[in-house]
Amino acid sequence: AQSVTQLDSQVPVFEEAPVELRCNYSSSVSVYLFWYVQYPNQGLQLLLKYLSGSTLVESINGFEAEFNKSQTSFHLRKPSVHISDTAEYFCAVSLSGGYQKVTFGTGTKLQVIP
Amino acid sequence: EAGVAQSPRYKIIEKRQSVAFWCNPISGHATLYWYQQILGQGPKLLIQFQNNGVVDDSQLPKDRFSAERLKGVDSTLKIQPAKLEDSAVYLCASSPVQGAETQYFGPGTRLLVL
């Protein structure tokens, strides 16, 4: 079965500084990888996903993640964070193909400090 | 396009009582999921429906939890009787036929069992 590990439970960072949220996965077969974001008192929203093709995927609000098969990682990065990026970020993995079970990590709380 | 709707948003009950949560997925979405998110943890899949059939309920505590999706549209999750450890946010999500790997989440129902 697939699993995902988010090593950092909380990441404080100053506004306009860069940030990296780490995610490692475990699977013996081909996977899809996701980052979801959860703002306070809201449900999860898809931030970006890797299905196949280019290993670098981007979101519309400046985040990017790179699929690294050799290191089984899918770290999330942003070169300059904004106060509005304060939220909890969840890495998730599923087997490739539709309607597969998605396994979520424990989440990383990003706290942007003004 | 309306999002995934859930009700109630908040519920407080005493242990051994019963509770039910309702979810209406995005129109046309064939797959519906119920997740349990305990404070400080990532969402854990309880049950996955494809239309009105169950695809995966391996992590559903069937002695006290039940779920149904009559007519393949909205769904109800019930807990009877509730335990203290059932305190969590219950998230409903749905995914379309095209792009089934992406899940769209509702705002969740926050349950507190006293």
Side-chain angles (χ1 to χ4, degrees):
Chain A
Q2 70 274 18
S3 65
V4 63
T5 302
Q6 292 182 252
L7 294 172
D8 305 305
S9 59
Q10 293 189 60
V11 173
V13 61
F14 285 107
E15 192 175 16
E16 297 183 3
V19 70
E20 178 179 83
L21 306 184
R22 296 180 294 169
C23 172
N24 289 89
Y25 70 93
S26 174
S27 176
S28 58
V29 296
S30 179
V31 296
Y32 291 163
L33 291 159
F34 310 85
W35 277 99
Y36 281 84
V37 59
Q38 187 173 33
Y39 298 103
N41 297 316
Q42 295 185 27
L44 281 76
Q45 303 172 33
L46 180 68
L47 188 61
L48 47 75
K49 62 185 176 184
Y50 169 78
L51 305 182
S52 64
S54 173
T55 57
L56 184 66
V57 290
E58 300 176 351
S59 72
I60 59 173
N61 58 351
F63 282 93
E64 64 178 30
E66 186 161 19
F67 169 58
N68 188 320
K69 189 174 182 180
S70 63
Q71 297 189 6
T72 61
S73 67
F74 191 57
H75 302 329
L76 183 69
R77 303 183 181 95
K78 188 170 185 179
S80 176
V81 295
H82 191 267
I83 291 290
S84 60
D85 294 324
T86 295
E88 190 158 18
Y89 293 79
F90 291 91
C91 184
V93 63
S94 76
L95 298 181
S96 59
Y99 308 115
Q100 297 292 336
K101 175 181 175 179
V102 176
T103 301
F104 286 85
T106 52
T108 299
K109 290 184 180 177
L110 175 62
Q111 179 67 45
V112 180
I113 305 164
Chain B
E1 179 182 77
V4 176
Q6 290 189 249
S7 67
R9 290 295 311 276
Y10 306 92
K11 190 74 177 178
I12 300 175
I13 61 173
E14 295 189 352
K15 60 182 180 183
R16 291 188 290 274
Q17 285 188 322
S18 302
V19 65
F21 312 128
W22 175 82
C23 171
N24 192 29
I26 293 172
S27 178
H29 282 198
T31 310
L32 185 148
Y33 313 79
W34 282 103
Y35 289 88
Q36 180 192 59
Q37 186 179 15
I38 293 173
L39 188 64
Q41 299 181 20
K44 181 185 82 172
L45 180 69
L46 292 175
I47 189 166
Q48 177 181 340
F49 291 96
Q50 181 72 18
N51 296 309
N52 60 348
V54 176
V55 174
D56 185 342
D57 64 356
S58 57
Q59 297 191 93
L60 186 74
K62 297 180 186 64
D63 57 334
R64 297 183 301 106
F65 286 65
S66 65
E68 60 182 12
R69 192 185 184 197
L70 301 176
K71 302 179 183 178
V73 181
D74 56 349
S75 175
T76 303
L77 177 69
K78 296 179 181 177
I79 307 175
Q80 180 180 11
K83 293 185 175 181
L84 297 178
E85 58 263 35
D86 298 332
S87 294
V89 176
Y90 290 84
L91 296 166
C92 180
S94 67
S95 58
V97 175
Q98 296 295 326
E101 72 285 342
T102 299
Q103 298 183 24
Y104 298 82
F105 285 81
T109 295
R110 188 175 298 270
L111 173 68
L112 178 61
V113 182
L114 301 176

